[in-house]
Amino acid sequence: MGARLGTRRVGDEELAEAHEINVTPFIDVMLVLLIIFMVAAPLATVDLGVDLPASTAAPQPRPDKPVFVSLRADLSLAIGEDGVPRTGLGAALAAATHGNKDERIFLRADKAVSYGELMAAMNLLRDAGYLKVALVGLDGGGER
């Protein structure tokens, strides 16, 4: 009547130990954790709703003879309708503005021009001493 490993003796009956794992409690725990994460995940994300204000600034009046610097799609520069090499931009602007470095320069660029090329043109204007640069674009209605 000796007891063997893995079995228990209850009265005259030997009961074999069950070696299966009961997964029902594990499933219950996993479902509870799933619900907790489903509720907590949206709360953990940062969502900033920003309602940007509309601009109330009145458009500035255009001067009688504005100086337009155009950057074409082929990356060539022009003052008014006349093409200008990049190296001669400063001298051509000085002639167009009669040497007045405080005059506002209107810069317009083709929409196919990359942002980097637009910044390079603005750097050329700054290097020439023209710091008042206005960017020209279409109105919201698609008209100039």
Side-chain angles (χ1 to χ4, degrees):
M1 287 200 145
R4 295 183 313 196
L5 289 176
T7 59
R8 279 192 265 175
R9 194 157 173 78
V10 179
D12 286 340
E13 298 179 15
E14 281 190 19
L15 297 176
E17 281 190 18
H19 293 288
E20 315 79 50
I21 296 176
N22 189 1
V23 295
T24 305
F26 294 119
I27 292 173
D28 292 342
V29 169
M30 289 299 152
L31 288 175
V32 169
L33 288 175
L34 177 67
I35 291 171
I36 290 172
F37 285 121
M38 286 174 57
V39 170
L43 300 176
T45 60
V46 177
D47 187 23
L48 295 176
V50 178
D51 189 16
L52 297 176
S55 175
T56 58
Q60 296 295 319
R62 186 183 289 187
D64 293 334
K65 293 208 167 211
V67 177
F68 285 100
V69 175
S70 301
L71 182 59
R72 297 182 184 133
D74 62 354
L75 303 181
S76 63
L77 288 172
I79 295 179
E81 299 296 323
D82 304 322
V84 176
R86 288 182 182 260
T87 57
L89 181 65
L93 277 174
T97 61
H98 307 293
N100 184 9
K101 303 259 186 199
D102 287 332
E103 188 170 342
R104 185 174 308 274
I105 305 298
F106 291 89
L107 178 63
R108 54 187 177 181
D110 192 276
K111 66 180 177 180
V113 173
S114 70
Y115 183 71
E117 293 296 331
L118 180 65
M119 289 304 297
M122 290 180 73
N123 286 336
L124 287 173
L125 291 172
R126 188 187 67 215
D127 292 343
Y130 294 93
L131 301 178
K132 292 184 177 181
V133 178
L135 298 176
V136 178
L138 295 178
D139 290 338
E143 300 176 11
R144 284 186 182 245

